[in-house]
Amino acid sequence: HVGKGTFLGARPAAELDGIAAIAAQTNPAEVTHARLVIEPELAREAALHANADDIGAMRRCLTGARAAETWRQYETWDNRLHRAIAEASQNALLIAVFDTLNAVRRTVVWGLLREERPRPPAGHHSFAEHDAVVAAIEERNMNAAASAMRLHLRHVQALLLEQAQAAE
């Protein structure tokens, strides 16, 4: 801190307040747009840098999401998958940007896309879309990974906008 010195220790609570302040100034459309800017590039970087452990973590997330018995369980696995992709980028700064975006997303958007069913159906759109992202990362196909993530997030964005219009 300029004029205050350097401090070591746990992150101050003010950083958590920062997430709430950002969330209060944004909306689901802005969050999905920010995801479209950042997450395809994280998938591209993951395709370049992922190791076997990273791919294994992603595959466990795919399996867990399909086995989810509730929407909340599915959302937990979905969140873990997107975080695993960010981690596979091997870039601490990009991971921190992702974590901030994801914290805002959970505050602003989390749960808005749930269907009336108690759990995701077997043909839930994200399953195949997530499979395509992970397969491209595993194949080290940077362009396909970014494209698959972009396609997935555009689908999520369209569903979110549909929900918002239906609520009006």
Side-chain angles (χ1 to χ4, degrees):
H1 294 280
V2 176
K4 293 184 180 181
T6 302
F7 301 92
L8 296 174
R11 291 184 176 180
E15 286 187 24
L16 298 176
D17 292 340
I19 298 297
I22 294 167
Q25 295 175 33
T26 193
N27 58 59
E30 286 185 358
V31 171
T32 57
H33 178 73
R35 290 184 76 193
L36 275 164
V37 169
I38 293 167
E39 290 194 56
E41 295 310 313
L42 281 169
R44 180 185 308 279
E45 288 296 306
L48 180 63
H49 299 288
N51 60 40
D53 289 341
D54 295 325
I55 300 298
M58 290 178 218
R59 293 245 170 249
R60 283 188 294 282
C61 293
L62 296 175
T63 300
R66 277 194 166 83
E69 295 185 13
T70 66
W71 278 105
R72 186 164 306 278
Q73 287 175 357
Y74 167 79
E75 290 163 353
T76 297
W77 285 110
D78 177 73
N79 187 48
R80 285 182 185 171
L81 173 63
H82 286 265
R83 180 61 158 74
I85 292 167
E87 288 175 357
S89 75
Q90 309 295 332
N91 184 309
L93 183 55
L94 289 176
I95 295 167
V97 169
F98 170 83
D99 285 343
T100 301
L101 174 57
N102 200 39
V104 172
R105 176 181 70 95
R106 285 193 315 266
T107 302
V108 174
V109 181
W110 198 252
L112 291 180
L113 295 177
R114 286 184 188 148
E115 297 177 21
E116 295 300 318
R117 300 174 195 179
R119 63 181 291 190
H124 185 55
H125 70 91
S126 286
F127 295 150
E129 293 167 5
H130 286 157
D131 287 345
V133 172
V134 173
I137 291 169
E138 189 170 25
E139 293 164 5
R140 300 220 175 272
N141 188 331
M142 295 167 61
N143 290 333
S147 293
M149 181 63 81
R150 190 171 292 104
L151 179 68
H152 168 58
L153 294 174
R154 282 191 176 139
H155 193 184
V156 170
Q157 183 182 46
L159 290 172
L160 188 63
L161 294 175
E162 222 175 80
Q163 284 262 352
Q165 289 172 350
E168 290 177 356

